[in-house]
Amino acid sequence: MTERSGGGREGSLEAPVRHPINWRDPAFYDQAAVEAELYRVFDICHGCRRCFNLCQSFPTLFEAIDASSSGELDGVDRKVFWNVVDHCYLCDMCYMTKCPYVPPHPWNVDFPHLMLRAKALHARGGELRWRDRVLSSTDLVGRLAGIPVVAEVVNAANRNRSARHLLEKTLGVHPDAPLPEYHSRSARRRLHGLRTTGDAATGAQAVRSTPETRGRVVLFTTCYGNRNEPELAEDLAAVFQHNDIPVVLAAEERCCGMPKLELGDLEAVAKLKQQNIPQLLRLVEAGYDLVAPIPSCVLMFKQELPLLFPEDAQVARIAEHMFDPFEYLMLRHKAGLLRTDFTGHLGTVTYHVPCHLRVQNIGLKTRDVLRLVPGTTIEVIERCSGHNGTYAVKSEFRAASVRIGRPVMQRVESSGADHYASDCPMAGHQIESGLKRSRPPAHPMKLLRMAYGI
């Protein structure tokens, strides 16, 4: 094994430290520097191998090393390095749960941020596939596919085997991958009465704040929640209003930027940030907190944008007031303000915790809220479903995504639970696609609304 840079401790017991991403420095895109850092970090990973079972990036690297003439990294073709990068979907689990060499360790290993840097190098060099640009343009695709009549055609095509094979040939979307439905009557249309121009008015409804919550929220519906499963926003609004938490919508919203981040298209992320932050900031300054029904979108505002724009006080302000919905409800419960007037029970729920929720380090708040429902047992699965943004729908990654998610699918299959759920609806449908006895997932907010009988 080659000598590694950094030296120092075998591991670190200190809390991980995330450094800002200096993506606007020209040196960030120096190919020789990027490849040198890939070599350094991959050599450290080779000597550790604790992340062998997290995703396909690590097996791709370790298998190539083991099959090389030297049995070390120096015998691996550099093309493999970029295969490793392609298999990373920036879930952050290696950084947050496995790696003993993350900062403040002197070896300073941040595998996901290095993968992002490599992806950004390719994106700036014009190496993004048209397929990837289309799949990550969720605002545009949602607007087009959500047009009346068009939505019906798109949904029918997504269920048609011949059309799916054509989609594979044109876009590289695997015919067995679950694709979401599109709704012409979006969440923002359904909840039109909640729109606000940014003033602090909430009508006659009393607002009760706590030291950690203001007691009224802006619902960031998200691209997926707006066009693909608008009931996510409806259920959230119903539950929050039942708990005397006024809910409003921003006058406008765009994609949070996570799909573009996963491609390394940081310029596109910056443009979306410039459109979203002013809208949300007006409402935060008017006294609102922020919630979103998709963990990846919450994470984008909580962590990713502050790391990309560390000097932007507006981004930091938004991050301070962005919450996972169940995190918010548990904070209200802590203050004695969450209603427990449940009219039914849920029985047994097999609950999958998405990666982008786990890395928020807020604990299992969804489980904790659902446990408040009488006659309810929650069985928790803390493992990747294999969906990971657009990764699981791409033809070249579909088999790997199913292999990653198989243990979760098997747990759900064998649980015999009354319901299975994931905070990430896309992860839920990924699990559904691998079940022998197909049945749809139930989002945790839907289950909570059912328990309230509202």
Side-chain angles (χ1 to χ4, degrees):
M1 189 174 297
T2 56
E3 183 179 354
R4 296 180 178 82
S5 61
R9 301 166 292 173
E10 181 61 27
S12 174
L13 297 179
E14 299 177 66
V17 175
R18 218 67 194 269
H19 296 311
I21 303 168
N22 194 17
W23 66 277
R24 284 171 288 198
D25 184 345
F28 188 81
Y29 303 94
D30 182 278
Q31 181 155 346
V34 171
E35 291 186 345
E37 183 65 1
L38 288 172
Y39 191 98
R40 184 186 78 86
V41 170
F42 287 175
D43 199 33
I44 294 172
C45 293
H46 165 41
C48 176
R49 301 203 177 198
R50 288 181 63 178
C51 295
F52 73 95
N53 63 344
L54 285 183
C55 69
Q56 191 60 30
S57 287
F58 296 101
T60 298
L61 173 63
F62 302 149
E63 289 168 12
I65 292 173
D66 293 343
S68 71
S69 57
S70 65
E72 298 290 346
L73 189 62
D74 58 9
V76 174
D77 190 318
R78 293 302 181 270
K79 291 181 181 179
V80 174
F81 286 22
W82 296 99
N83 293 337
V84 174
V85 172
D86 288 341
H87 277 292
C88 177
Y89 33 76
L90 304 179
C91 72
D92 267 2
M93 291 309 300
C94 59
Y95 187 95
M96 298 303 298
T97 68
K98 290 281 189 178
C99 183
Y101 305 119
V102 299
H105 191 281
W107 285 355
N108 191 33
V109 172
D110 188 331
F111 191 93
H113 278 183
L114 176 57
M115 298 299 100
L116 177 61
R117 184 182 178 187
K119 291 173 185 286
L121 172 63
H122 274 188
R124 175 163 287 197
E127 298 182 47
L128 293 180
R129 293 176 58 178
W130 180 72
R131 183 271 310 270
D132 296 335
R133 292 184 183 276
V134 170
L135 292 179
S136 64
S137 297
T138 50
D139 275 334
L140 176 60
V141 173
R143 284 197 300 272
L144 295 177
I147 297 172
V149 180
V150 174
E152 296 175 15
V153 173
V154 170
N155 293 334
N158 285 344
R159 293 189 293 267
N160 181 276
R161 199 65 182 170
S162 297
R164 288 300 301 267
H165 283 296
L166 180 61
L167 189 60
E168 182 176 33
K169 290 180 180 179
T170 56
L171 278 181
V173 173
H174 197 281
D176 295 330
L179 295 181
E181 289 191 3
Y182 286 90
H183 295 260
S184 57
R185 190 162 177 262
S186 67
R188 289 179 61 81
R189 286 188 62 189
R190 298 182 190 200
L191 300 174
H192 180 77
L194 300 181
R195 291 194 186 185
T196 177
T197 56
D199 59 52
T202 55
Q205 188 173 0
V207 176
R208 300 179 66 183
S209 64
T210 74
E212 296 164 297
T213 66
R214 293 168 161 190
R216 53 185 174 184
V217 301
V218 180
L219 169 55
F220 188 85
T221 62
T222 75
C223 303
Y224 188 93
N226 187 42
R227 288 290 185 183
N228 300 121
E229 291 193 32
E231 60 271 22
L232 293 175
E234 292 180 302
D235 293 338
L236 189 153
V239 168
F240 273 57
Q241 290 171 334
H242 183 71
N243 281 283
D244 303 315
I245 304 170
V247 180
V248 300
L249 303 180
E252 297 178 14
E253 70 174 60
R254 295 294 305 278
C255 174
C256 69
M258 182 62 81
K260 296 297 184 182
L261 180 78
E262 291 172 349
L263 292 181
D265 190 353
L266 302 183
E267 295 293 346
V269 172
K271 290 178 182 177
L272 293 168
K273 167 252 184 188
Q274 290 167 3
Q275 293 170 303
N276 277 321
I277 295 300
Q279 293 280 344
L280 298 177
L281 184 65
R282 282 193 288 271
L283 289 159
V284 166
E285 296 302 338
Y288 290 88
D289 293 320
L290 308 166
V291 295
I294 307 293
S296 296
C297 304
V298 174
L299 183 69
M300 192 69 190
F301 288 107
K302 268 189 177 185
Q303 172 180 296
E304 306 298 354
L305 288 179
L307 290 172
L308 289 169
F309 304 95
E311 76 293 341
D312 192 322
Q314 294 183 351
V315 169
R317 180 79 168 147
I318 295 302
E320 291 173 359
H321 291 277
M322 176 61 73
F323 295 87
D324 168 79
F326 284 92
E327 174 191 16
Y328 203 83
L329 292 176
M330 276 307 294
L331 289 171
R332 302 293 287 178
H333 180 64
K334 175 182 174 183
L337 296 177
L338 187 72
R339 296 178 65 168
T340 56
D341 54 339
F342 301 109
T343 61
H345 61 83
L346 299 174
T348 304
V349 179
T350 300
Y351 164 56
H352 167 257
V353 192
C355 299
H356 278 177
L357 183 57
R358 293 170 65 190
V359 299
Q360 291 180 38
N361 287 329
I362 60 173
L364 300 179
K365 303 306 182 189
T366 301
R367 176 203 64 183
D368 295 343
V369 171
L370 293 180
R371 274 181 171 175
L372 298 175
V373 180
T376 300
T377 302
I378 312 297
E379 300 175 352
V380 176
I381 303 175
E382 293 187 85
R383 188 160 182 159
C384 183
S385 72
H387 188 273
N388 314 306
T390 59
Y391 183 82
V393 306
K394 297 175 182 177
S395 293
E396 66 269 33
F397 300 132
R398 179 63 189 163
S401 79
V402 172
R403 186 164 56 250
I404 293 165
R406 181 63 64 193
V408 179
M409 299 165 184
Q410 290 173 338
R411 285 275 303 277
V412 170
E413 191 82 64
S414 62
S415 69
D418 298 296
H419 309 278
Y420 75 96
S422 176
D423 300 273
C424 175
M426 293 161 282
H429 292 301
Q430 165 79 348
I431 297 168
E432 179 186 11
S433 73
L435 299 181
K436 295 177 182 178
R437 299 184 302 276
S438 180
R439 60 179 178 133
H443 192 273
M445 196 63 73
K446 171 68 71 178
L447 294 176
L448 188 60
R449 185 178 183 179
M450 289 167 49
Y452 277 126
I454 56 176

